[in-house]
Amino acid sequence: MPVRRVLFLGDVCAEPGRFAVKAALSGLRETCRPDFVIVNAENAAAGYGITPRLAEELFAAGADCLTTGDHAFDRKEAWEYFPVQSRLLRPANLPSRAPGRGCAVYERDGWMVGVVNLQGRVFMKPLDCPFQRAEQLVAEMRTQTRAIIVDFHAEATAEKQAMGWFLDGGVSAVLGTHTHVQTADEQVLPQGSAYITDVGMCGSFDSVLGMRKEEALSRVLDSLPVRLHPAKTDLRVNGVLVTIDTETGRAESIERITRRVEVDIS
């Protein structure tokens, strides 16, 4: 039974996250032997958004596709980049006038893999229904491939679990992003879709979600609008490795990935 492997890395948080990904990816390629690498990069630019230069930096490091989320358009210089870079996705349930695309099918050594980027609505900005959009896009993409990976960038655990059950059997994996905390509920659902509520974060773990603890604490203790800056110590990458049957598109397995990275960026 021929299989292919997809490595998905969680939200890259600022410069420390980029350093961690660049330091870890070559080793992960050797040990995990992925056929396709997806990285969520919506926090790559100082924790908020993505720029063309930083996207190209992650592609050069080994990412085949970059997904995003609610911070996709925080950096104005990316607005014209999204439409011309087919390997950079934004949530598909954004308004149709938004720059760029929310899904794509990519070819790697004769294997076709689809990627869909969606954003949740619970505790987040109001957008089109991600479930209806997912149903439409998956039906269209399955005419090209049965190997489809969904990045569901959402806040609420219940909404993410609901999406997993909704798409079970129709896609290879539903992988949650956004919360920056890797969950321990990875599984292959009954109809063959791999699922995890959140794949986690790439960046500093001596932090609050990648940002300096002192500033984050000042926000909650003093109610001051303190500007957050990326923390720079205890760098790690979080992600998952999904093994997919190329004939059926069903997931054979999903494995959580956590790697510490020894790199000095002080």
Side-chain angles (χ1 to χ4, degrees):
M1 183 186 307
V3 297
R4 296 290 183 114
R5 298 176 181 84
V6 173
L7 176 65
F8 189 110
L9 297 184
D11 303 46
V12 176
C13 190
E15 182 185 45
R18 302 195 310 270
F19 269 87
V21 168
K22 288 188 287 186
L25 250 184
S26 59
L28 287 171
R29 281 193 173 277
E30 290 182 10
T31 57
C32 298
R33 295 179 291 115
D35 299 284
F36 196 78
V37 177
I38 306 169
V39 178
N40 186 292
E42 73 135 18
N43 301 128
Y48 304 94
I50 182 75
T51 68
R53 179 180 65 82
L54 299 183
E56 294 297 330
E57 186 178 304
L58 291 169
F59 288 135
D64 295 305
C65 171
L66 301 179
T67 53
T68 57
D70 56 313
H71 292 296
F73 300 130
D74 280 13
R75 304 289 174 161
K76 193 171 183 179
E77 56 264 51
W79 295 2
E80 294 182 357
Y81 181 71
F82 269 91
V84 300
Q85 177 51 267
S86 62
R87 295 191 292 162
L88 175 64
L89 302 180
R90 48 79 168 168
N93 54 325
L94 283 169
S96 59
R97 292 169 57 92
R101 70 212 76 197
C103 66
V105 176
Y106 305 97
E107 186 272 333
R108 286 294 179 275
D109 300 322
W111 182 55
M112 308 296 287
V113 56
V115 183
V116 180
N117 197 174
L118 294 165
Q119 184 173 315
R121 297 192 296 182
V122 180
F123 308 128
M124 299 185 78
K125 295 177 182 177
L127 296 177
D128 289 345
C129 176
F131 294 85
Q132 293 180 358
R133 193 74 177 113
E135 186 174 43
Q136 173 195 350
L137 293 175
V138 168
E140 294 172 358
M141 297 180 83
R142 281 177 66 89
T143 64
Q144 301 178 69
T145 180
R146 292 185 177 275
I148 301 171
I149 308 296
V150 176
D151 175 349
F152 191 30
H153 196 79
E155 184 79 41
T157 297
E159 189 179 23
K160 291 179 177 181
Q161 288 186 336
M163 183 65 78
W165 290 114
F166 181 68
L167 292 178
D168 185 24
V171 301
S172 303
V174 176
L175 309 176
T177 58
H178 180 64
T179 70
H180 290 208
V181 177
Q182 188 180 65
T183 55
D185 60 341
E186 75 280 7
Q187 61 185 300
V188 176
L189 298 174
Q191 301 303 314
S193 296
Y195 173 83
I196 188 170
T197 297
D198 205 286
V199 300
M201 176 190 76
C202 299
S204 168
F205 277 66
D206 181 24
S207 69
V208 174
L209 304 184
M211 297 300 187
R212 293 177 188 166
K213 302 187 297 291
E214 299 78 11
E215 294 160 356
L217 286 170
S218 182
R219 277 193 171 193
V220 297
L221 295 175
D222 307 322
S223 295
L224 296 175
V226 176
R227 182 176 177 83
L228 299 178
H229 295 85
K232 295 185 177 182
T233 55
D234 190 10
L235 303 189
R236 308 182 205 178
V237 296
N238 286 165
V240 292
L241 181 68
V242 180
T243 302
I244 301 169
D245 182 327
T246 57
E247 294 179 358
T248 65
R250 291 171 62 98
E252 294 293 311
S253 65
I254 177 172
E255 174 189 352
R256 270 184 294 141
I257 302 292
T258 298
R259 296 286 189 277
R260 251 193 184 89
V261 176
E262 299 298 334
V263 57
D264 184 8
I265 62 170
S266 58

